[in-house]
Structure formats: C-alpha cells, structure tokens
Amino acid sequence: MRKYMVNLIIWLALWMSICLNVFMIANFKSSCENIDSRWKADVLYKMWHRSLDGDGDGIACENLPYNQE
C-alpha cells in the first residue's frame, strides 16, 4: 500500500508538471498584439508573462480595452 501511494504521488506530480509545461508553451508567444482584452493580459501577466508589461509599471497591455467578451 505504501509503495502504491508513493507511485501515485510521483505520477500525479509528473502529470501536473507536463500539463503546466504544455500550458506555458502554448502561451509562450503571447504579446499585446495577439491578445484582444486586458483581462486576458492580466491573467497571463500573473502567470509569469512579464514581457506583456512594456513600461515596467505592473499593468499589462495598457492600451487594450478591459472587456470580458
């Protein structure tokens, strides 16, 4: 039972790592030109896409509208 739990924890950690890496790779090319609203830019900025903040003030893609469509 103990060996099963250890294997389960290892596989879950590996699976989560793969999923997070796939998500980060899919959003790696994110820029203000290919994002249509500022709330999406805010979410990506909070997920370590610091390149979306061009002037370094902590607000990502300031010129985009803040709509949630």
Side-chain angles (χ1 to χ4, degrees):
M1 181 70 176
R2 185 175 176 177
K3 185 177 180 180
Y4 173 76
M5 292 301 288
V6 170
N7 284 337
L8 181 65
I9 291 171
I10 290 172
W11 282 107
L12 284 174
L14 179 65
W15 180 78
M16 295 230 355
S17 174
I18 290 170
C19 288
L20 288 173
N21 282 328
V22 167
F23 178 76
M24 291 298 287
I25 290 169
N27 290 314
F28 181 71
K29 296 290 182 181
S30 296
S31 67
C32 292
E33 289 80 29
N34 59 6
I35 298 173
D36 59 351
S37 65
R38 209 165 100 202
W39 74 271
K40 291 178 185 177
D42 289 339
V43 169
L44 289 171
Y45 181 75
K46 289 177 185 171
M47 299 183 80
W48 304 289
H49 289 281
R50 303 295 182 214
S51 63
L52 296 176
D53 181 19
D55 55 0
D57 63 354
I59 301 172
C61 299
E62 296 173 9
N63 58 343
L64 291 174
Y66 205 89
N67 56 2
Q68 294 188 6
E69 296 176 7

